[in-house]
Amino acid sequence: MEFARQGEAAARATVPVVTPIAQLAYVFSEYSVGTGNAMATKIHAQARAHEAMGGRTYVVVSDRREHDYAEGTLVRYASSRPATREWFTDLERRLDAACGLTLGRRPLVARFHREALDAVPADAKALVVYNYAGAITDRLTRDFDGKIVLHLGNDVFRSWRPAEVRRVIARTHVTVAVSDYLAGTVVERLGSRPDNLHVLRNGVDTAGFRPGRRASREGMPPTILFVGNVVPHKGAHNLVAAARVLAHTTRNFRVRIVGSSGLRPSEGLSDYERELRRAAAPLGDLVEFTPFVDRHALPAVYAGADVFCMPVDWQEPAGQVVTEAMASGLPVVSARSGGIPEYLGHEGVYVDPRDANRLAEALHDLVTDPGERARRGRALRRRAESMTWDRNVQELMRLIGD
């Protein structure tokens, strides 16, 4: 452990700290513990690590929102966009996609980000733009003197022609993707790999997310945990279906589904959430639903569980909740989806979550075998300890500094 600390200190000393840098959050999103927005969580974690290294991080945010993270220097901008149309609309996306096909540029998303980009401080040496590749225009490259980083957390180029993708990546100093899987989608679309396309995997707060004292819950039924956006592609329904099968062989378990349909507290339930509760009703108290909890409360949620389930129905590029479960010392049962295996490695338990019987089998093996739970949980905790935000930021600084 002492050797590891010395190694990290040496790496920190040799990696150039570009200071200051600017991080562009989603337009009109909160920079707050009160949102489940993965980008806000990531920006906060990177700002904290960067500032611990002696750097300075500007976080460009809307003055229409509340922002309560302590780390990062907030740069607020005012928007002329009507409050009734704060978000980038589906119509605007469709129009921009048509412009991309015909004109090779996306003017509406560029206009949508203009006021935020105009607020970037003049002394910023680098600017990180998350996902909204259309905001990286020729105008931005002319007006911003520093290095531009496009940070890809999703397959944002689905509706883009290869020529469009090449042009926007060429405008960046570096484009980073959160997994080899996601970088591969870009390479597949282009037919070749741009020299400035790199993989920068997410970090995890291994100090905040730690294994709980499970011995204190001896005799209690093992808890299978789901955390995330409660929407169809996240697959909570797959877990409920498996729980119904599992209940035929043992009732010594509990399922806890934590989250809401949105990325913040919401009033009422979506149609999908209501359907989930109807499907779980025959299981009685074996399944518990907990609405959205903020970032401060999340470590205790993981610490109170025994198994984590990631039953997604889509190609998840990375999965922030997977790394949080790993850091919390939980064994993880997951779809072999997208970039998840790159984070979980060999110690993950992989099944097709749409097969309720196979998912129930995998969960049964863990809820009935505390030794196997502990072994996999320890291995995943060790793996998470190599995924710190310090290392993430050191690699980002190295790429920016190249």
Side-chain angles (χ1 to χ4, degrees):
M1 183 63 71
E2 183 60 32
F3 176 79
R5 282 196 293 266
Q6 290 173 354
E8 289 216 4
R12 184 179 295 181
T14 57
V15 172
V17 176
V18 178
T19 179
I21 66 171
Q23 299 261 16
L24 180 64
Y26 287 138
V27 175
F28 299 118
S29 66
E30 301 94 339
Y31 181 61
S32 167
V33 298
T35 178
N37 185 317
M39 290 300 100
T41 300
K42 185 179 300 186
I43 290 171
H44 170 248
Q46 289 181 328
R48 182 170 58 186
H50 185 216
E51 292 183 348
M53 296 172 190
R56 185 177 189 182
T57 296
Y58 294 118
V59 184
V60 182
V61 293
S62 165
D63 65 0
R64 294 184 186 175
R65 293 290 182 268
E66 295 296 324
H67 311 285
D68 53 28
Y69 275 131
E71 288 78 12
T73 301
L74 292 186
V75 178
R76 299 175 185 268
Y77 64 89
S79 175
S80 58
R81 192 172 172 98
T84 54
R85 293 179 58 250
E86 286 187 343
W87 303 105
F88 199 59
T89 66
D90 289 340
L91 175 59
E92 287 171 319
R93 282 190 176 85
R94 289 194 294 271
L95 290 173
D96 254 4
C99 288
L101 290 172
T102 58
L103 304 176
R105 59 188 179 86
R106 302 188 175 226
L108 297 181
V109 74
R111 186 187 308 161
F112 183 67
H113 285 82
R114 188 164 298 162
E115 287 158 324
L117 291 170
D118 286 346
V120 173
D123 65 330
K125 305 302 182 186
L127 168 65
V128 183
V129 177
Y130 284 91
N131 284 344
Y132 280 101
I136 301 176
T137 61
D138 287 333
R139 177 181 184 270
L140 176 62
T141 59
R142 288 195 306 269
D143 293 350
F144 181 67
D145 292 332
K147 295 175 179 179
I148 297 171
V149 178
L150 173 60
H151 193 296
L152 300 176
N154 283 307
D155 184 7
V156 303
F157 292 129
R158 285 188 302 273
S159 65
W160 290 53
R161 292 187 306 167
E164 261 195 292
V165 179
R166 288 191 188 94
R167 276 196 296 271
V168 79
I169 291 179
R171 293 182 189 121
T172 72
H173 176 73
V174 61
T175 293
V176 297
V178 294
S179 60
D180 285 316
Y181 161 77
L182 191 57
T185 65
V186 178
V187 174
E188 183 178 0
R189 186 160 285 111
L190 296 180
S192 62
R193 188 184 187 102
D195 291 339
N196 61 338
L197 174 64
H198 298 270
V199 173
L200 180 66
R201 292 189 179 87
N202 293 335
V204 64
D205 179 2
T206 52
F209 293 92
R210 302 187 61 82
R213 296 181 179 179
R214 293 182 176 90
S216 65
R217 303 201 310 281
E218 200 167 322
M220 298 175 63
T223 296
I224 303 165
L225 178 66
F226 168 99
V227 175
N229 215 189
V230 183
V231 293
H233 69 272
K234 294 294 186 178
H237 57 280
N238 292 326
L239 176 54
V240 170
R244 295 181 67 162
V245 175
L246 181 59
H248 291 303
T249 57
T250 179
R251 296 184 71 84
N252 188 40
F253 72 93
R254 296 291 184 271
V255 169
R256 189 179 184 195
I257 295 175
V258 178
S260 297
S261 60
L263 296 173
R264 58 186 58 79
S266 58
E267 294 183 8
L269 301 175
S270 68
D271 290 344
Y272 176 71
E273 288 174 296
R274 283 192 288 271
E275 181 56 38
L276 268 184
R277 283 159 174 76
R278 282 193 291 269
L283 294 170
D285 64 0
L286 294 186
V287 179
E288 171 193 357
F289 292 91
T290 301
F292 176 90
V293 298
D294 69 27
R295 298 295 302 171
H296 286 157
L298 263 185
V301 169
Y302 288 99
D306 300 275
V307 177
F308 189 79
C309 188
M310 186 75 168
V312 293
D313 263 351
W314 73 311
Q315 294 297 319
E316 182 81 48
Q320 177 176 282
V321 293
V322 166
T323 55
E324 292 168 353
M326 292 166 61
S328 302
L330 296 178
V332 178
V333 180
S334 174
R336 191 181 290 277
S337 161
I340 293 174
E342 300 173 38
Y343 288 82
L344 274 181
H346 297 303
E347 293 301 333
V349 178
Y350 300 103
V351 297
D352 180 349
R354 295 165 296 186
D355 185 333
N357 291 322
R358 293 296 299 275
L359 180 54
E361 279 180 25
L363 294 171
H364 179 273
D365 290 346
L366 288 170
V367 299
T368 59
D369 189 340
E372 181 68 358
R373 291 200 304 270
R375 185 191 72 78
R376 288 187 181 272
R378 286 193 299 269
L380 289 175
R381 169 67 193 187
R382 287 194 297 271
R383 189 171 174 85
E385 286 170 352
S386 70
M387 300 177 181
T388 64
W389 284 111
D390 273 2
R391 291 190 178 188
N392 172 278
V393 171
Q394 288 164 10
E395 178 63 9
L396 177 61
M397 294 301 104
R398 186 189 69 78
L399 291 170
I400 292 173
D402 282 351

